[in-house]
Amino acid sequence: MFKFISKKIIKNYNDYNNPKVREQYGMLCSIVSIACNIVLVIFKLTMGAITHSIAIQADGLNNLSDVGSNLASLFGFKLANRHPDSEHPYGHGRIEYVAGLIIAFLILLVGFQALKDSIFKIIAPEKVTFTIVAVVILIVSILIKLWMAMFNRTVSKNINSATLMAASQDSLNDVMATSATLISLILSLYTDLPVDGIMGAVVSIIVLKAGIDIFKDTVDPLLGMAPDKELINEIEEYILSYPEALGIHDLMMHDYGPGRKFLTLHVEVDCNDNIMAVHDAMDLIERSMLEKYHILTTIHMDPVDTNDALTNELKQVVLGVVKGINKEYSIHDFRIVTGPTHTNLIFDVMIPSNDEIKHKVLKEEINTKLRAINPNYYTVMQIEHSFI
């Protein structure tokens, strides 16, 4: 069904990294979801009023919030693809994340309202009227929501959209909520307990949890979460496949929305190579990164002397000391300045972003271990935290 719809509506439907194609997929999913949810809202609110079921009405209100969420998603995909302007030179891609925040707030609002109504129903319960029509509508609703969840999940994986993944998860939450409503309707035949209010409360809690999860998923990229480790490893492997690239460090990636990533990094190159040839290779890497990963890349070249035996020897000594303290530590920009009485070891130490060691303590430990090897070693070091 997914491929059939995609082929009929979206041109170049397999080009998932194309911003235009992403926009069309996002709008398609949003429009399909809006249509399905409007049908469910009408049915559930009508049957909830007829059967006096607060659980069915809460479920219907949840679908109404889904319509608002789908509208936010629709406009988010449309606006996110707007061309950069003077006030937003990096584009408008983060609007997609803002749309996710709106979805989260709408879900939380409906969840709180439904929970309040459910508590009142537990305190002052009303008789629920069981009808076969209501049961059929709830079962159909479950099937529709399952299809919507699979549809949105498939698209979200293809175009790497957190917003559509949230929509998919929201549909799965609706399946659980509607199932609880169906159970309460059946149980009303066998007990006078306020099952409807209790199940309505359960539904509301599920809705609230979904809102909190979606809120977290959309806030993280806005705050600047770490890039995907698999992607970073693939990028590093790709860049190091070029013979001119001897090492990589100080890699930083900025996310301005899906398909709008900016990457800066330092690449170590041989200082003895022809500078024009090396620059040409770095320029080629930047162009290839844009074509291959749709990432705008800026490379800073760090020249290193690979032919100096003493520099290479002392680099391994320092690396052994640093790795001995923590195997996740690394060094870069290593060089030496020798003199008649001592040798200056100049380098940067890279430590994980979550490492809380005090820089002064780490420097003292490295100095102590190096002085134990040779008292004439003096260090000039900078401690840096990784951004990946």
Side-chain angles (χ1 to χ4, degrees):
M1 178 67 76
F2 163 73
K3 288 186 177 180
F4 175 78
I5 295 176
S6 302
K7 288 180 180 180
K8 292 293 182 182
I9 297 178
I10 299 175
K11 185 179 180 181
N12 300 325
Y13 69 96
N14 281 329
D15 189 8
Y16 300 122
N17 290 321
N18 188 314
K20 284 290 185 182
V21 174
R22 289 191 80 262
E23 177 188 343
Q24 291 173 14
Y25 269 115
M27 294 180 66
L28 171 63
C29 287
S30 300
I31 292 171
V32 170
S33 297
I34 289 171
C36 291
N37 280 316
I38 287 177
V39 172
L40 293 175
V41 168
I42 294 172
F43 280 149
K44 288 182 182 179
L45 291 184
T46 301
M47 292 311 302
I50 293 174
T51 61
H52 306 292
S53 171
I54 187 63
I56 295 179
Q57 292 181 55
D59 207 14
L61 288 175
N62 182 36
N63 292 141
L64 183 60
S65 75
D66 291 341
V67 174
S69 301
N70 300 144
L71 285 171
S73 177
L74 177 65
F75 286 110
F77 275 104
K78 186 64 179 176
L79 295 175
N81 204 37
R82 290 175 57 194
H83 196 275
D85 53 39
S86 58
E87 294 182 349
H88 308 93
Y90 298 103
H92 301 80
R94 285 182 176 173
I95 289 179
E96 190 173 328
Y97 301 142
V98 175
L101 280 180
I102 296 173
I103 292 173
F105 281 123
L106 287 172
I107 291 174
L108 290 171
L109 181 64
V110 170
F112 279 119
Q113 182 61 44
L115 181 60
K116 184 185 73 171
D117 293 341
S118 298
I119 292 173
F120 284 133
K121 278 286 186 177
I122 294 173
I123 297 172
E126 292 182 12
K127 180 63 178 176
V128 175
T129 303
F130 176 89
T131 67
I132 295 297
V133 175
V135 172
V136 172
I137 287 176
L138 291 177
I139 292 175
V140 171
S141 173
I142 291 172
L143 295 176
I144 291 175
K145 280 293 182 176
L146 277 174
W147 179 82
M148 290 171 61
M150 291 187 291
F151 186 76
N152 282 310
R153 184 175 293 272
T154 301
V155 178
S156 69
K157 288 182 177 180
N158 286 337
I159 68 172
N160 189 28
S161 171
T163 300
L164 291 183
M165 183 61 75
S168 173
Q169 185 58 51
D170 190 34
S171 294
L172 288 178
N173 292 334
D174 289 344
V175 170
M176 292 186 288
T178 304
S179 298
T181 303
L182 180 60
I183 292 171
S184 72
L185 192 62
I186 295 172
L187 289 178
S188 67
L189 293 172
Y190 305 101
T191 179
D192 293 329
L193 293 174
V195 177
D196 183 54
I198 294 172
M199 294 307 253
V202 171
V203 170
S204 303
I205 292 172
I206 292 174
V207 172
L208 288 171
K209 182 182 182 303
I212 293 171
D213 290 343
I214 294 172
F215 181 84
K216 181 181 181 301
D217 289 340
T218 52
V219 164
D220 282 347
L222 286 173
L223 291 178
M225 65 186 298
D228 179 68
K229 188 163 182 62
E230 289 186 5
L231 174 62
I232 294 300
N233 290 338
E234 184 179 339
I235 288 174
E236 289 181 342
E237 184 178 343
Y238 174 71
I239 293 176
L240 290 175
S241 68
Y242 285 77
E244 294 82 3
L246 305 179
I248 295 173
H249 59 86
D250 288 346
L251 189 152
M252 291 186 287
M253 183 178 290
H254 303 278
D255 186 352
Y256 287 90
R260 298 164 182 83
K261 290 182 173 63
F262 295 80
L263 176 69
T264 60
L265 72 156
H266 290 210
V267 175
E268 293 180 351
V269 298
D270 193 335
C271 67
N272 299 303
D273 284 349
N274 182 283
I275 187 65
M276 295 304 294
V278 173
H279 181 272
D280 183 71
M282 296 303 107
D283 187 61
L284 181 60
I285 293 175
E286 291 176 344
R287 293 173 182 270
S288 299
M289 286 291 296
L290 186 60
E291 294 174 2
K292 184 177 177 66
Y293 298 102
H294 296 272
I295 297 176
L296 188 62
T297 304
T298 301
I299 294 176
H300 171 79
M301 296 187 298
D302 276 338
V304 295
D305 191 350
T306 60
N307 296 325
D308 185 78
L310 181 60
T311 298
N312 293 334
E313 178 186 345
L314 293 182
K315 180 178 181 180
Q316 292 305 313
V317 170
V318 174
L319 183 60
V321 168
V322 171
K323 288 287 186 182
I325 298 172
N326 189 321
K327 63 181 181 180
E328 294 187 4
Y329 293 175
S330 62
I331 65 172
H332 58 82
D333 285 346
F334 185 87
R335 57 193 186 278
I336 64 173
V337 177
T338 58
T341 61
H342 66 278
T343 299
N344 285 333
L345 309 175
I346 307 166
F347 56 93
D348 293 343
V349 180
M350 182 73 73
I351 66 177
S353 58
N354 60 348
D355 197 310
E356 297 182 359
I357 189 171
K358 294 184 180 300
H359 292 187
K360 183 179 179 181
V361 172
L362 179 57
K363 287 181 178 180
E364 289 176 353
E365 186 173 358
I366 293 174
N367 279 325
T368 299
K369 291 181 180 296
L370 287 173
R371 289 287 183 87
I373 296 173
N374 188 329
N376 294 324
Y377 288 161
Y378 288 80
T379 63
V380 180
M381 76 179 86
Q382 178 72 29
I383 309 297
E384 300 177 347
H385 286 268
S386 173
F387 290 97
I388 59 173

